[in-house]
Amino acid sequence: MINNIQLYNGDCIEIMQSLIEQNIKVDAVITDPPYNISRKTNFHTLKGANRNGMDFGEWDKNFDVVGWIHTMSKLLKENANVVIFNDWKNLSDIRKECEKNNIIIKRCLVINKTNGAPFNRDRMFVNDVEFALWGIYNSKNKPTGWTFNRKNPVEKCVMNATIQHSKFHPTMKDIKVISKLVDLLTNEGDTVLDCFMGSGTTGIACKQLGRKFIGIEIDNNYFEIAKNRIDNEG
Ligand SMILES: C[S@@+](CC[C@H](N)C(=O)[O-])C[C@H]1O[C@@H](n2cnc3c(N)ncnc32)[C@H](O)[C@@H]1O
C-alpha cells in the first residue's frame, strides 16, 4: 500500500473486485452497510439532523444486504476480523452469507444507544439498540490466533453509543465504538477496510490509531465529506 489512507468513490463491489485483481489483502473489515430499513413515518427527527424520520435516503432503499459479502471475503487475510453493523431483521441472512464465505460469526455485539429517540412511545419500546456481527475469516473454517487486544478484564458485547445528530451523514456512527473495535481487533500498521464508508468515521479512527485504511463510498457528496474529515484529522 503506497498511502496509509486509500479512498475510493464508487460502487464497492466494482472497487473490491479491482483490489482483488491487485492481490490486496486486509487485516480487518469494519463496516456499516445500508440496513434497508428506510420508510415513511409521521415522526420528525430533531432539528439539525440530516434525515427525515426513518427515511435515511435513497441509498438505504432496495439494498441487497448480503450481495457484497462474497466479494469482500476475497480480500481477507487468514484470521482477519470482520465486523458488520446491521438491523436485527437482517442478522440471520448476513450470518448465513458470511458462513458460506468462511467468515465464522463468533458473537453479536449490541450497541446500546443511550439517547434512543422515543417513537410512538405509548405503544412501542424505544428503538435504542443496533447490532454488529463479529466474525473471523478462515479459508479452512478453523479460525486461530486472530487479533483480540483485550483492554479490560472482560470485553462485553454490549457497548454504549450516542446517536449522532450530524450534519455530515444521517447514520454517522459514534467514533467511540468504532475506535474501540479498531483498537481491539487490529494492531498498529494493520489495514482496515470499510466498504460503506459514509462520512468516514472508521477512517478517522484508523488514522488516530495508526492503522492503514481503505475506504469506499458510492455517493459523491458523502465521499467528499469523508475525505475532508479524514484529511483534517491529525
Ligand atoms: C450506513 S451508511 C455508513 C455511515 C458511516 N458508518 C458513517 O459513520 O458515516 C452506508 C453508506 O454506504 C453507501 N453505499 C451504499 N451502497 C454502496 C455501494 N454499492 N458501494 C459503496 N458505498 C455504498 C451509502 O451511500 C452510505 O453512505
mmCIF file of all heavy atoms in Angstrom, residues 1-9 12 15-16 18-20 22-31 72 75-77 190-198 200 202-204 206-207 211-217 223 226 230:
data_model
loop_
_atom_site.group_PDB
_atom_site.id
_atom_site.type_symbol
_atom_site.label_atom_id
_atom_site.label_comp_id
_atom_site.label_asym_id
_atom_site.label_seq_id
_atom_site.Cartn_x
_atom_site.Cartn_y
_atom_site.Cartn_z
ATOM 1 N N MET A 1 0.853 -1.195 0.000
ATOM 2 C CA MET A 1 0.000 0.000 0.000
ATOM 3 C C MET A 1 0.892 1.250 0.000
ATOM 4 O O MET A 1 1.752 1.408 0.872
ATOM 5 C CB MET A 1 -0.842 -0.055 1.287
ATOM 6 C CG MET A 1 -1.972 0.872 1.331
ATOM 7 S SD MET A 1 -3.114 0.216 2.564
ATOM 8 C CE MET A 1 -4.286 1.509 2.616
ATOM 9 N N ILE A 2 0.693 2.133 -0.980
ATOM 10 C CA ILE A 2 1.569 3.305 -1.085
ATOM 11 C C ILE A 2 1.193 4.327 -0.005
ATOM 12 O O ILE A 2 2.039 4.809 0.738
ATOM 13 C CB ILE A 2 1.467 3.940 -2.490
ATOM 14 C CG1 ILE A 2 1.812 2.872 -3.539
ATOM 15 C CG2 ILE A 2 2.388 5.146 -2.622
ATOM 16 C CD1 ILE A 2 1.328 3.168 -4.922
ATOM 17 N N ASN A 3 -0.101 4.643 0.070
ATOM 18 C CA ASN A 3 -0.554 5.592 1.102
ATOM 19 C C ASN A 3 -1.178 4.820 2.245
ATOM 20 O O ASN A 3 -1.752 3.760 2.036
ATOM 21 C CB ASN A 3 -1.618 6.522 0.518
ATOM 22 C CG ASN A 3 -1.027 7.369 -0.582
ATOM 23 O OD1 ASN A 3 0.080 7.887 -0.443
ATOM 24 N ND2 ASN A 3 -1.759 7.477 -1.671
ATOM 25 N N ASN A 4 -1.083 5.413 3.442
ATOM 26 C CA ASN A 4 -1.731 4.755 4.576
ATOM 27 C C ASN A 4 -3.246 4.846 4.485
ATOM 28 O O ASN A 4 -3.962 4.060 5.090
ATOM 29 C CB ASN A 4 -1.250 5.372 5.881
ATOM 30 C CG ASN A 4 0.147 4.886 6.204
ATOM 31 O OD1 ASN A 4 0.637 3.950 5.577
ATOM 32 N ND2 ASN A 4 0.771 5.524 7.169
ATOM 33 N N ILE A 5 -3.736 5.856 3.747
ATOM 34 C CA ILE A 5 -5.183 6.030 3.593
ATOM 35 C C ILE A 5 -5.496 5.992 2.098
ATOM 36 O O ILE A 5 -4.960 6.789 1.329
ATOM 37 C CB ILE A 5 -5.637 7.406 4.152
ATOM 38 C CG1 ILE A 5 -5.154 7.648 5.595
ATOM 39 C CG2 ILE A 5 -7.140 7.598 4.007
ATOM 40 C CD1 ILE A 5 -5.928 6.942 6.673
ATOM 41 N N GLN A 6 -6.346 5.044 1.696
ATOM 42 C CA GLN A 6 -6.756 4.983 0.279
ATOM 43 C C GLN A 6 -8.267 5.083 0.222
ATOM 44 O O GLN A 6 -8.962 4.227 0.776
ATOM 45 C CB GLN A 6 -6.327 3.658 -0.338
ATOM 46 C CG GLN A 6 -4.846 3.606 -0.598
ATOM 47 C CD GLN A 6 -4.457 2.371 -1.408
ATOM 48 O OE1 GLN A 6 -5.311 1.639 -1.907
ATOM 49 N NE2 GLN A 6 -3.178 2.139 -1.522
ATOM 50 N N LEU A 7 -8.762 6.125 -0.455
ATOM 51 C CA LEU A 7 -10.207 6.348 -0.520
ATOM 52 C C LEU A 7 -10.686 6.236 -1.961
ATOM 53 O O LEU A 7 -10.037 6.764 -2.867
ATOM 54 C CB LEU A 7 -10.547 7.742 0.035
ATOM 55 C CG LEU A 7 -10.035 8.046 1.450
ATOM 56 C CD1 LEU A 7 -10.468 9.440 1.892
ATOM 57 C CD2 LEU A 7 -10.508 6.993 2.453
ATOM 58 N N TYR A 8 -11.799 5.543 -2.139
ATOM 59 C CA TYR A 8 -12.350 5.332 -3.487
ATOM 60 C C TYR A 8 -13.800 5.782 -3.517
ATOM 61 O O TYR A 8 -14.578 5.416 -2.637
ATOM 62 C CB TYR A 8 -12.302 3.846 -3.856
ATOM 63 C CG TYR A 8 -10.898 3.279 -3.906
ATOM 64 C CD1 TYR A 8 -10.331 2.704 -2.770
ATOM 65 C CD2 TYR A 8 -10.156 3.321 -5.082
ATOM 66 C CE1 TYR A 8 -9.042 2.176 -2.800
ATOM 67 C CE2 TYR A 8 -8.868 2.789 -5.123
ATOM 68 C CZ TYR A 8 -8.325 2.224 -3.978
ATOM 69 O OH TYR A 8 -7.052 1.705 -4.017
ATOM 70 N N ASN A 9 -14.138 6.534 -4.570
ATOM 71 C CA ASN A 9 -15.509 6.993 -4.771
ATOM 72 C C ASN A 9 -16.137 6.117 -5.864
ATOM 73 O O ASN A 9 -15.825 6.285 -7.042
ATOM 74 C CB ASN A 9 -15.460 8.470 -5.210
ATOM 75 C CG ASN A 9 -16.835 9.111 -5.331
ATOM 76 O OD1 ASN A 9 -16.948 10.177 -5.921
ATOM 77 N ND2 ASN A 9 -17.851 8.508 -4.783
ATOM 78 N N CYS A 12 -18.777 -0.342 -4.272
ATOM 79 C CA CYS A 12 -17.783 -1.154 -3.555
ATOM 80 C C CYS A 12 -17.556 -2.513 -4.223
ATOM 81 O O CYS A 12 -16.446 -3.045 -4.157
ATOM 82 C CB CYS A 12 -18.141 -1.307 -2.092
ATOM 83 S SG CYS A 12 -19.610 -2.262 -1.780
ATOM 84 N N ILE A 15 -15.065 -1.818 -6.979
ATOM 85 C CA ILE A 15 -13.740 -1.423 -6.462
ATOM 86 C C ILE A 15 -13.075 -2.591 -5.734
ATOM 87 O O ILE A 15 -11.869 -2.834 -5.900
ATOM 88 C CB ILE A 15 -13.870 -0.156 -5.604
ATOM 89 C CG1 ILE A 15 -14.143 0.995 -6.588
ATOM 90 C CG2 ILE A 15 -12.610 0.139 -4.796
ATOM 91 C CD1 ILE A 15 -14.645 2.242 -6.002
ATOM 92 N N MET A 16 -13.857 -3.343 -4.982
ATOM 93 C CA MET A 16 -13.257 -4.505 -4.288
ATOM 94 C C MET A 16 -12.736 -5.510 -5.314
ATOM 95 O O MET A 16 -11.696 -6.124 -5.118
ATOM 96 C CB MET A 16 -14.268 -5.145 -3.337
ATOM 97 C CG MET A 16 -14.545 -4.270 -2.120
ATOM 98 S SD MET A 16 -15.445 -5.096 -0.779
ATOM 99 C CE MET A 16 -17.038 -5.373 -1.496
ATOM 100 N N SER A 18 -11.478 -4.790 -8.186
ATOM 101 C CA SER A 18 -10.178 -4.331 -8.704
ATOM 102 C C SER A 18 -9.094 -4.485 -7.635
ATOM 103 O O SER A 18 -7.935 -4.757 -7.963
ATOM 104 C CB SER A 18 -10.279 -2.922 -9.281
ATOM 105 O OG SER A 18 -10.029 -1.977 -8.296
ATOM 106 N N LEU A 19 -9.429 -4.367 -6.357
ATOM 107 C CA LEU A 19 -8.432 -4.589 -5.291
ATOM 108 C C LEU A 19 -8.014 -6.078 -5.268
ATOM 109 O O LEU A 19 -6.842 -6.399 -5.067
ATOM 110 C CB LEU A 19 -8.983 -4.183 -3.921
ATOM 111 C CG LEU A 19 -9.354 -2.696 -3.747
ATOM 112 C CD1 LEU A 19 -10.012 -2.455 -2.392
ATOM 113 C CD2 LEU A 19 -8.133 -1.795 -3.894
ATOM 114 N N ILE A 20 -8.980 -6.954 -5.524
ATOM 115 C CA ILE A 20 -8.668 -8.396 -5.567
ATOM 116 C C ILE A 20 -7.677 -8.661 -6.706
ATOM 117 O O ILE A 20 -6.691 -9.385 -6.536
ATOM 118 C CB ILE A 20 -9.963 -9.228 -5.766
ATOM 119 C CG1 ILE A 20 -10.867 -9.105 -4.544
ATOM 120 C CG2 ILE A 20 -9.649 -10.699 -6.053
ATOM 121 C CD1 ILE A 20 -12.307 -9.571 -4.756
ATOM 122 N N GLN A 22 -5.511 -6.747 -7.799
ATOM 123 C CA GLN A 22 -4.175 -6.243 -7.420
ATOM 124 C C GLN A 22 -3.582 -7.040 -6.247
ATOM 125 O O GLN A 22 -2.588 -6.627 -5.645
ATOM 126 C CB GLN A 22 -4.272 -4.778 -6.999
ATOM 127 C CG GLN A 22 -4.729 -3.836 -8.094
ATOM 128 C CD GLN A 22 -5.109 -2.473 -7.508
ATOM 129 O OE1 GLN A 22 -4.294 -1.819 -6.887
ATOM 130 N NE2 GLN A 22 -6.357 -2.065 -7.686
ATOM 131 N N ASN A 23 -4.231 -8.155 -5.900
ATOM 132 C CA ASN A 23 -3.765 -9.025 -4.797
ATOM 133 C C ASN A 23 -3.703 -8.324 -3.447
ATOM 134 O O ASN A 23 -2.866 -8.655 -2.611
ATOM 135 C CB ASN A 23 -2.373 -9.598 -5.089
ATOM 136 C CG ASN A 23 -2.469 -10.650 -6.143
ATOM 137 O OD1 ASN A 23 -3.437 -11.415 -6.164
ATOM 138 N ND2 ASN A 23 -1.486 -10.679 -7.039
ATOM 139 N N ILE A 24 -4.562 -7.349 -3.239
ATOM 140 C CA ILE A 24 -4.574 -6.646 -1.946
ATOM 141 C C ILE A 24 -5.341 -7.494 -0.932
ATOM 142 O O ILE A 24 -6.352 -8.123 -1.272
ATOM 143 C CB ILE A 24 -5.175 -5.237 -2.133
ATOM 144 C CG1 ILE A 24 -4.132 -4.406 -2.870
ATOM 145 C CG2 ILE A 24 -5.587 -4.597 -0.805
ATOM 146 C CD1 ILE A 24 -4.586 -3.072 -3.319
ATOM 147 N N LYS A 25 -4.799 -7.539 0.297
ATOM 148 C CA LYS A 25 -5.483 -8.254 1.382
ATOM 149 C C LYS A 25 -5.550 -7.334 2.587
ATOM 150 O O LYS A 25 -4.635 -6.525 2.801
ATOM 151 C CB LYS A 25 -4.689 -9.517 1.783
ATOM 152 C CG LYS A 25 -4.607 -10.568 0.692
ATOM 153 C CD LYS A 25 -5.829 -11.462 0.675
ATOM 154 C CE LYS A 25 -5.739 -12.502 -0.432
ATOM 155 N NZ LYS A 25 -6.984 -13.211 -0.654
ATOM 156 N N VAL A 26 -6.597 -7.484 3.385
ATOM 157 C CA VAL A 26 -6.749 -6.612 4.558
ATOM 158 C C VAL A 26 -6.780 -7.451 5.839
ATOM 159 O O VAL A 26 -7.127 -8.633 5.829
ATOM 160 C CB VAL A 26 -8.024 -5.731 4.456
ATOM 161 C CG1 VAL A 26 -7.979 -4.866 3.204
ATOM 162 C CG2 VAL A 26 -9.291 -6.568 4.483
ATOM 163 N N ASP A 27 -6.406 -6.789 6.953
ATOM 164 C CA ASP A 27 -6.377 -7.479 8.250
ATOM 165 C C ASP A 27 -7.747 -7.479 8.913
ATOM 166 O O ASP A 27 -8.001 -8.303 9.796
ATOM 167 C CB ASP A 27 -5.382 -6.768 9.183
ATOM 168 C CG ASP A 27 -3.981 -6.788 8.608
ATOM 169 O OD1 ASP A 27 -3.329 -7.832 8.725
ATOM 170 O OD2 ASP A 27 -3.551 -5.779 8.009
ATOM 171 N N ALA A 28 -8.594 -6.523 8.531
ATOM 172 C CA ALA A 28 -9.922 -6.448 9.160
ATOM 173 C C ALA A 28 -10.871 -5.663 8.270
ATOM 174 O O ALA A 28 -10.442 -4.796 7.495
ATOM 175 C CB ALA A 28 -9.823 -5.757 10.517
ATOM 176 N N VAL A 29 -12.150 -5.993 8.410
ATOM 177 C CA VAL A 29 -13.224 -5.196 7.809
ATOM 178 C C VAL A 29 -14.106 -4.720 8.953
ATOM 179 O O VAL A 29 -14.538 -5.531 9.785
ATOM 180 C CB VAL A 29 -14.045 -6.027 6.801
ATOM 181 C CG1 VAL A 29 -15.329 -5.298 6.403
ATOM 182 C CG2 VAL A 29 -13.214 -6.338 5.560
ATOM 183 N N ILE A 30 -14.308 -3.409 9.022
ATOM 184 C CA ILE A 30 -15.263 -2.854 9.993
ATOM 185 C C ILE A 30 -16.177 -1.965 9.158
ATOM 186 O O ILE A 30 -15.723 -0.954 8.607
ATOM 187 C CB ILE A 30 -14.547 -2.057 11.105
ATOM 188 C CG1 ILE A 30 -13.615 -2.998 11.880
ATOM 189 C CG2 ILE A 30 -15.572 -1.394 12.044
ATOM 190 C CD1 ILE A 30 -12.764 -2.337 12.948
ATOM 191 N N THR A 31 -17.436 -2.374 9.023
ATOM 192 C CA THR A 31 -18.274 -1.663 8.055
ATOM 193 C C THR A 31 -19.733 -1.601 8.493
ATOM 194 O O THR A 31 -20.220 -2.475 9.217
ATOM 195 C CB THR A 31 -18.110 -2.277 6.636
ATOM 196 O OG1 THR A 31 -18.580 -1.341 5.684
ATOM 197 C CG2 THR A 31 -18.846 -3.604 6.490
ATOM 198 N N MET A 72 -16.218 -9.190 -0.787
ATOM 199 C CA MET A 72 -15.431 -8.701 0.356
ATOM 200 C C MET A 72 -14.568 -9.822 0.944
ATOM 201 O O MET A 72 -13.401 -9.615 1.294
ATOM 202 C CB MET A 72 -16.408 -8.134 1.398
ATOM 203 C CG MET A 72 -15.793 -7.640 2.677
ATOM 204 S SD MET A 72 -15.556 -8.945 3.896
ATOM 205 C CE MET A 72 -17.203 -9.214 4.505
ATOM 206 N N LEU A 75 -10.949 -10.488 -0.046
ATOM 207 C CA LEU A 75 -9.896 -9.527 0.314
ATOM 208 C C LEU A 75 -9.310 -9.808 1.695
ATOM 209 O O LEU A 75 -8.406 -9.097 2.150
ATOM 210 C CB LEU A 75 -10.477 -8.103 0.313
ATOM 211 C CG LEU A 75 -10.713 -7.496 -1.060
ATOM 212 C CD1 LEU A 75 -11.623 -6.290 -0.964
ATOM 213 C CD2 LEU A 75 -9.380 -7.114 -1.692
ATOM 214 N N LEU A 76 -9.837 -10.837 2.381
ATOM 215 C CA LEU A 76 -9.456 -11.033 3.788
ATOM 216 C C LEU A 76 -8.227 -11.921 3.931
ATOM 217 O O LEU A 76 -8.134 -12.982 3.304
ATOM 218 C CB LEU A 76 -10.632 -11.679 4.536
ATOM 219 C CG LEU A 76 -11.921 -10.841 4.567
ATOM 220 C CD1 LEU A 76 -13.080 -11.675 5.111
ATOM 221 C CD2 LEU A 76 -11.715 -9.594 5.421
ATOM 222 N N LYS A 77 -7.307 -11.489 4.815
ATOM 223 C CA LYS A 77 -6.192 -12.367 5.191
ATOM 224 C C LYS A 77 -6.745 -13.476 6.075
ATOM 225 O O LYS A 77 -7.806 -13.324 6.687
ATOM 226 C CB LYS A 77 -5.164 -11.578 6.015
ATOM 227 C CG LYS A 77 -4.370 -10.586 5.202
ATOM 228 C CD LYS A 77 -3.286 -9.939 6.082
ATOM 229 C CE LYS A 77 -2.642 -8.793 5.341
ATOM 230 N NZ LYS A 77 -1.804 -7.947 6.201
ATOM 231 N N ASP A 190 -1.760 -2.355 10.794
ATOM 232 C CA ASP A 190 -2.698 -3.221 10.050
ATOM 233 C C ASP A 190 -3.556 -2.388 9.094
ATOM 234 O O ASP A 190 -3.718 -1.176 9.276
ATOM 235 C CB ASP A 190 -3.649 -3.943 11.027
ATOM 236 C CG ASP A 190 -3.011 -5.167 11.663
ATOM 237 O OD1 ASP A 190 -1.858 -5.486 11.333
ATOM 238 O OD2 ASP A 190 -3.688 -5.801 12.505
ATOM 239 N N THR A 191 -4.138 -3.082 8.133
ATOM 240 C CA THR A 191 -5.033 -2.420 7.159
ATOM 241 C C THR A 191 -6.485 -2.795 7.439
ATOM 242 O O THR A 191 -6.818 -3.977 7.532
ATOM 243 C CB THR A 191 -4.674 -2.854 5.721
ATOM 244 O OG1 THR A 191 -3.308 -2.518 5.491
ATOM 245 C CG2 THR A 191 -5.547 -2.156 4.695
ATOM 246 N N VAL A 192 -7.320 -1.767 7.544
ATOM 247 C CA VAL A 192 -8.756 -1.950 7.790
ATOM 248 C C VAL A 192 -9.515 -1.477 6.553
ATOM 249 O O VAL A 192 -9.221 -0.409 6.007
ATOM 250 C CB VAL A 192 -9.212 -1.105 9.006
ATOM 251 C CG1 VAL A 192 -10.712 -1.241 9.246
ATOM 252 C CG2 VAL A 192 -8.433 -1.493 10.262
ATOM 253 N N LEU A 193 -10.495 -2.272 6.123
ATOM 254 C CA LEU A 193 -11.368 -1.884 5.011
ATOM 255 C C LEU A 193 -12.751 -1.511 5.547
ATOM 256 O O LEU A 193 -13.326 -2.255 6.347
ATOM 257 C CB LEU A 193 -11.514 -3.071 4.035
ATOM 258 C CG LEU A 193 -12.632 -2.965 2.984
ATOM 259 C CD1 LEU A 193 -12.325 -1.880 1.942
ATOM 260 C CD2 LEU A 193 -12.834 -4.321 2.274
ATOM 261 N N ASP A 194 -13.272 -0.362 5.090
ATOM 262 C CA ASP A 194 -14.693 -0.034 5.278
ATOM 263 C C ASP A 194 -15.254 0.215 3.885
ATOM 264 O O ASP A 194 -14.977 1.242 3.267
ATOM 265 C CB ASP A 194 -14.862 1.196 6.179
ATOM 266 C CG ASP A 194 -16.337 1.514 6.431
ATOM 267 O OD1 ASP A 194 -17.202 0.896 5.790
ATOM 268 O OD2 ASP A 194 -16.624 2.398 7.265
ATOM 269 N N CYS A 195 -16.035 -0.751 3.386
ATOM 270 C CA CYS A 195 -16.525 -0.655 2.005
ATOM 271 C C CYS A 195 -17.819 0.149 1.903
ATOM 272 O O CYS A 195 -18.342 0.332 0.796
ATOM 273 C CB CYS A 195 -16.668 -2.046 1.397
ATOM 274 S SG CYS A 195 -17.318 -3.279 2.507
ATOM 275 N N PHE A 196 -18.350 0.629 3.027
ATOM 276 C CA PHE A 196 -19.523 1.519 3.038
ATOM 277 C C PHE A 196 -19.187 2.679 3.979
ATOM 278 O O PHE A 196 -19.770 2.820 5.056
ATOM 279 C CB PHE A 196 -20.771 0.756 3.512
ATOM 280 C CG PHE A 196 -21.143 -0.405 2.630
ATOM 281 C CD1 PHE A 196 -20.741 -1.699 2.951
ATOM 282 C CD2 PHE A 196 -21.874 -0.209 1.466
ATOM 283 C CE1 PHE A 196 -21.071 -2.781 2.132
ATOM 284 C CE2 PHE A 196 -22.206 -1.278 0.644
ATOM 285 C CZ PHE A 196 -21.806 -2.567 0.981
ATOM 286 N N MET A 197 -18.249 3.504 3.532
ATOM 287 C CA MET A 197 -17.557 4.430 4.429
ATOM 288 C C MET A 197 -18.427 5.571 4.938
ATOM 289 O O MET A 197 -18.135 6.137 6.000
ATOM 290 C CB MET A 197 -16.344 4.946 3.646
ATOM 291 C CG MET A 197 -15.682 6.152 4.165
ATOM 292 S SD MET A 197 -14.153 6.494 3.308
ATOM 293 C CE MET A 197 -14.733 7.115 1.723
ATOM 294 N N GLY A 198 -19.487 5.962 4.192
ATOM 295 C CA GLY A 198 -20.307 7.104 4.610
ATOM 296 C C GLY A 198 -19.440 8.327 4.810
ATOM 297 O O GLY A 198 -18.639 8.705 3.948
ATOM 298 N N GLY A 200 -16.969 8.616 6.818
ATOM 299 C CA GLY A 200 -15.557 8.311 7.079
ATOM 300 C C GLY A 200 -15.166 8.057 8.523
ATOM 301 O O GLY A 200 -13.978 8.105 8.867
ATOM 302 N N THR A 202 -14.846 5.338 10.308
ATOM 303 C CA THR A 202 -13.844 4.270 10.504
ATOM 304 C C THR A 202 -12.453 4.767 10.095
ATOM 305 O O THR A 202 -11.451 4.439 10.739
ATOM 306 C CB THR A 202 -14.222 3.011 9.687
ATOM 307 O OG1 THR A 202 -15.596 2.721 9.913
ATOM 308 C CG2 THR A 202 -13.390 1.808 10.074
ATOM 309 N N GLY A 203 -12.413 5.579 9.034
ATOM 310 C CA GLY A 203 -11.129 6.119 8.570
ATOM 311 C C GLY A 203 -10.490 7.023 9.610
ATOM 312 O O GLY A 203 -9.270 6.992 9.815
ATOM 313 N N ILE A 204 -11.308 7.828 10.262
ATOM 314 C CA ILE A 204 -10.771 8.728 11.297
ATOM 315 C C ILE A 204 -10.201 7.897 12.449
ATOM 316 O O ILE A 204 -9.091 8.151 12.918
ATOM 317 C CB ILE A 204 -11.871 9.684 11.803
ATOM 318 C CG1 ILE A 204 -12.295 10.598 10.658
ATOM 319 C CG2 ILE A 204 -11.397 10.503 12.993
ATOM 320 C CD1 ILE A 204 -13.486 11.465 10.991
ATOM 321 N N CYS A 206 -9.053 4.909 12.338
ATOM 322 C CA CYS A 206 -7.819 4.248 11.889
ATOM 323 C C CYS A 206 -6.656 5.237 11.886
ATOM 324 O O CYS A 206 -5.559 4.912 12.341
ATOM 325 C CB CYS A 206 -8.008 3.662 10.488
ATOM 326 S SG CYS A 206 -9.038 2.198 10.505
ATOM 327 N N LYS A 207 -6.903 6.433 11.394
ATOM 328 C CA LYS A 207 -5.825 7.437 11.342
ATOM 329 C C LYS A 207 -5.363 7.767 12.769
ATOM 330 O O LYS A 207 -4.167 7.813 13.051
ATOM 331 C CB LYS A 207 -6.325 8.692 10.614
ATOM 332 C CG LYS A 207 -5.202 9.597 10.160
ATOM 333 C CD LYS A 207 -5.687 10.615 9.159
ATOM 334 C CE LYS A 207 -4.586 11.637 8.867
ATOM 335 N NZ LYS A 207 -5.075 12.730 8.012
ATOM 336 N N ARG A 211 -3.547 2.927 12.080
ATOM 337 C CA ARG A 211 -3.869 1.802 11.179
ATOM 338 C C ARG A 211 -3.960 2.341 9.757
ATOM 339 O O ARG A 211 -4.322 3.506 9.561
ATOM 340 C CB ARG A 211 -5.223 1.179 11.536
ATOM 341 C CG ARG A 211 -5.203 0.090 12.593
ATOM 342 C CD ARG A 211 -4.654 0.509 13.898
ATOM 343 N NE ARG A 211 -4.949 -0.443 14.966
ATOM 344 C CZ ARG A 211 -4.535 -0.306 16.210
ATOM 345 N NH1 ARG A 211 -3.775 0.725 16.574
ATOM 346 N NH2 ARG A 211 -4.843 -1.206 17.127
ATOM 347 N N LYS A 212 -3.673 1.479 8.780
ATOM 348 C CA LYS A 212 -3.913 1.849 7.387
ATOM 349 C C LYS A 212 -5.405 1.666 7.100
ATOM 350 O O LYS A 212 -6.055 0.831 7.748
ATOM 351 C CB LYS A 212 -3.082 0.967 6.455
ATOM 352 C CG LYS A 212 -1.592 1.172 6.668
ATOM 353 C CD LYS A 212 -0.787 0.258 5.778
ATOM 354 C CE LYS A 212 0.687 0.401 6.100
ATOM 355 N NZ LYS A 212 1.339 -0.901 6.262
ATOM 356 N N PHE A 213 -5.890 2.405 6.116
ATOM 357 C CA PHE A 213 -7.337 2.387 5.890
ATOM 358 C C PHE A 213 -7.662 2.396 4.409
ATOM 359 O O PHE A 213 -7.073 3.161 3.638
ATOM 360 C CB PHE A 213 -7.963 3.622 6.553
ATOM 361 C CG PHE A 213 -9.449 3.734 6.336
ATOM 362 C CD1 PHE A 213 -10.317 2.796 6.881
ATOM 363 C CD2 PHE A 213 -9.989 4.770 5.573
ATOM 364 C CE1 PHE A 213 -11.691 2.881 6.672
ATOM 365 C CE2 PHE A 213 -11.359 4.867 5.359
ATOM 366 C CZ PHE A 213 -12.208 3.926 5.920
ATOM 367 N N ILE A 214 -8.572 1.531 4.009
ATOM 368 C CA ILE A 214 -9.146 1.574 2.659
ATOM 369 C C ILE A 214 -10.635 1.867 2.824
ATOM 370 O O ILE A 214 -11.355 1.098 3.475
ATOM 371 C CB ILE A 214 -8.958 0.234 1.907
ATOM 372 C CG1 ILE A 214 -7.469 -0.127 1.808
ATOM 373 C CG2 ILE A 214 -9.593 0.314 0.519
ATOM 374 C CD1 ILE A 214 -7.202 -1.477 1.150
ATOM 375 N N GLY A 215 -11.079 2.984 2.257
ATOM 376 C CA GLY A 215 -12.481 3.377 2.395
ATOM 377 C C GLY A 215 -13.130 3.513 1.034
ATOM 378 O O GLY A 215 -12.529 4.048 0.101
ATOM 379 N N ILE A 216 -14.380 3.002 0.919
ATOM 380 C CA ILE A 216 -15.117 3.077 -0.352
ATOM 381 C C ILE A 216 -16.496 3.683 -0.070
ATOM 382 O O ILE A 216 -17.171 3.265 0.885
ATOM 383 C CB ILE A 216 -15.284 1.671 -0.988
ATOM 384 C CG1 ILE A 216 -13.939 0.923 -1.037
ATOM 385 C CG2 ILE A 216 -15.896 1.796 -2.391
ATOM 386 C CD1 ILE A 216 -14.045 -0.522 -1.521
ATOM 387 N N GLU A 217 -16.887 4.637 -0.896
ATOM 388 C CA GLU A 217 -18.208 5.263 -0.745
ATOM 389 C C GLU A 217 -18.738 5.607 -2.140
ATOM 390 O O GLU A 217 -18.042 6.212 -2.936
ATOM 391 C CB GLU A 217 -18.091 6.512 0.140
ATOM 392 C CG GLU A 217 -19.318 7.395 0.199
ATOM 393 C CD GLU A 217 -20.604 6.691 0.639
ATOM 394 O OE1 GLU A 217 -20.601 5.961 1.637
ATOM 395 O OE2 GLU A 217 -21.636 6.872 -0.058
ATOM 396 N N PHE A 223 -18.663 11.028 -0.056
ATOM 397 C CA PHE A 223 -17.241 10.757 -0.295
ATOM 398 C C PHE A 223 -16.410 12.003 0.031
ATOM 399 O O PHE A 223 -15.392 11.916 0.725
ATOM 400 C CB PHE A 223 -17.004 10.329 -1.748
ATOM 401 C CG PHE A 223 -15.550 10.109 -2.036
ATOM 402 C CD1 PHE A 223 -14.933 8.911 -1.676
ATOM 403 C CD2 PHE A 223 -14.776 11.097 -2.618
ATOM 404 C CE1 PHE A 223 -13.572 8.717 -1.902
ATOM 405 C CE2 PHE A 223 -13.417 10.912 -2.850
ATOM 406 C CZ PHE A 223 -12.815 9.712 -2.488
ATOM 407 N N ALA A 226 -16.255 12.554 3.750
ATOM 408 C CA ALA A 226 -15.331 11.602 4.387
ATOM 409 C C ALA A 226 -13.883 12.031 4.143
ATOM 410 O O ALA A 226 -13.055 12.046 5.063
ATOM 411 C CB ALA A 226 -15.571 10.198 3.836
ATOM 412 N N ILE A 230 -11.309 12.993 7.105
ATOM 413 C CA ILE A 230 -10.099 12.184 7.337
ATOM 414 C C ILE A 230 -8.848 13.047 7.122
ATOM 415 O O ILE A 230 -7.912 13.010 7.930
ATOM 416 C CB ILE A 230 -10.108 10.917 6.448
ATOM 417 C CG1 ILE A 230 -11.281 10.015 6.842
ATOM 418 C CG2 ILE A 230 -8.779 10.161 6.563
ATOM 419 C CD1 ILE A 230 -11.576 8.873 5.878
#
